[in-house]
Amino acid sequence: MKSVFKFILNTIPRPILIRMSIVVRPILAFLLKGNRFTDPIDGKSFRMFLPYGYGNQRNNVLSPSTLSLERHRLLWLYLQNETDFFTATEKKKVLHFAPEQEFYKRFKKQTNIDYTTTDLLSPLADVKADICNLPFEDNTYDIIFCNHVLEHIPDDTKAMQELYRVLKPNGMGIFQIPQDLSRATTFSDDAIIDQKERAKIFGQYDHVRVYGRDYFDKLRSIGFKVIEEDYTSKIAPELVEKYCLANGEIIPVCFK
């Protein structure tokens, strides 16, 4: 199964994968019903989660029902338990880059947010836009989600500046990235052009860098106030296992 999923991820373009998953998802959820692991996003349980990874594949990480990964489930728990994102009575303007399927329909249904999605290619994007040249006014959004996007962007400094520009004062941004916390500094090398080699080194064929611990300071240099939220440390170990979370993953919670 791992080899099949790896082949699919590395050969089929992401927009097509998104459309295919709409059909495949309910079939997988039915076949893998059980009680070993639970997806906190929809509360459904399974005997196993699916493997995932463009390079090295990880076992039991992709939820059959929502197609969420560890980072999605961690973010959901954080928003649910530590913020008023789902419960605020005052309507907030939310901008979501490259919207994840497991969030898209749920966020769209929320009456307490004015929800806009954006991306260059995603079929789920309301606004097709370049993150380095956004068509939005300054200080527009109360909340911005931009998760696992910046590692694809050659000029991530410009992208961060644009995120800062369109976020309202006191607004919150969550900018998750794949991060190697054993690295002090971020690594990139434009000379590596072979897709298999890029997947091996960067974790995915279309990534342009591996972020190190200096990622948070780079966000601070743009002007953000950054909280390095080690949220799995606040969750009971048995739930970390049951929800298939990645121990020690940091959520970058940023404020303007």
Side-chain angles (χ1 to χ4, degrees):
M1 183 182 289
K2 289 173 69 174
S3 60
V4 172
F5 272 81
K6 184 175 181 178
F7 175 79
I8 290 172
L9 287 172
N10 282 284
T11 55
I12 300 177
R14 189 172 291 113
I16 297 176
L17 280 175
I18 291 172
R19 292 187 173 93
M20 288 174 56
S21 67
I22 295 171
V23 177
V24 174
R25 184 170 50 188
I27 299 171
L28 291 173
F30 176 77
L31 293 175
L32 296 176
K33 280 184 179 179
N35 57 18
R36 183 181 177 192
F37 301 118
T38 298
D39 185 337
I41 297 175
D42 63 3
K44 294 181 180 179
S45 297
F46 305 94
R47 59 183 173 84
M48 64 177 285
F49 278 8
L50 297 163
Y52 188 85
Y54 285 78
N56 295 324
Q57 291 236 312
R58 310 184 303 283
N59 289 321
N60 290 314
V61 294
L62 184 68
S63 165
S65 57
T66 67
L67 299 184
S68 64
L69 296 169
E70 309 102 316
R71 60 188 172 89
H72 303 127
R73 296 187 290 276
L74 184 66
L75 176 57
W76 180 272
L77 290 166
Y78 177 79
L79 292 174
Q80 186 177 64
N81 298 331
E82 306 297 329
T83 76
D84 66 351
F85 180 75
F86 297 109
T87 59
T89 55
E90 182 181 350
K91 200 163 191 174
K92 297 182 180 181
K93 295 195 68 173
V94 176
L95 181 64
H96 194 167
F97 286 83
E100 299 92 342
Q101 289 185 72
E102 56 273 23
F103 296 147
Y104 177 74
K105 287 185 178 180
R106 290 171 174 84
F107 290 177
K108 275 281 188 185
K109 291 177 181 177
Q110 282 185 228
T111 58
N112 66 333
I113 64 173
D114 180 0
Y115 183 59
T116 301
T117 59
T118 185
D119 191 66
L120 274 177
L121 300 174
S122 173
L124 303 181
D126 299 319
V127 179
K128 295 293 192 294
D130 180 354
I131 191 173
C132 293
N133 186 24
L134 294 172
F136 309 117
E137 297 294 326
D138 295 359
N139 308 315
T140 297
Y141 292 97
D142 298 286
I143 299 171
I144 298 177
F145 297 118
C146 182
N147 297 321
H148 282 235
V149 171
L150 292 172
E151 69 275 11
H152 296 268
I153 309 300
D155 190 353
D156 64 340
T157 299
K158 179 60 176 173
M160 291 176 184
Q161 289 170 341
E162 282 290 270
L163 292 172
Y164 187 84
R165 179 181 67 80
V166 302
L167 185 66
K168 286 183 180 179
N170 301 313
M172 180 184 75
I174 294 182
F175 311 139
Q176 291 173 299
I177 40 86
Q179 187 174 26
D180 183 353
L181 292 171
S182 69
R183 290 179 180 269
T185 58
T186 296
F187 171 75
S188 63
D189 186 347
D190 294 339
I192 303 171
I193 57 175
D194 180 76
Q195 287 196 351
K196 290 183 178 179
E197 190 69 10
R198 294 190 69 81
K200 180 180 177 181
I201 294 172
F202 297 117
Q204 197 165 306
Y205 68 90
D206 55 353
H207 289 183
V208 298
R209 67 183 61 82
V210 179
Y211 283 106
R213 297 192 305 274
D214 59 344
Y215 172 67
F216 309 113
D217 285 335
K218 180 160 188 176
L219 288 169
R220 292 183 180 107
S221 74
I222 301 298
F224 290 107
K225 300 172 185 175
V226 182
I227 296 174
E228 301 172 30
E229 183 64 69
D230 180 8
Y231 197 54
T232 57
S233 68
K234 300 179 181 179
I235 300 172
E238 61 270 20
L239 291 180
V240 170
E241 181 178 355
K242 189 171 185 64
Y243 296 151
C244 294
L245 305 177
N247 251 318
E249 180 172 354
I250 306 297
I251 303 176
V253 185
C254 305
F255 296 92
K256 181 173 178 179

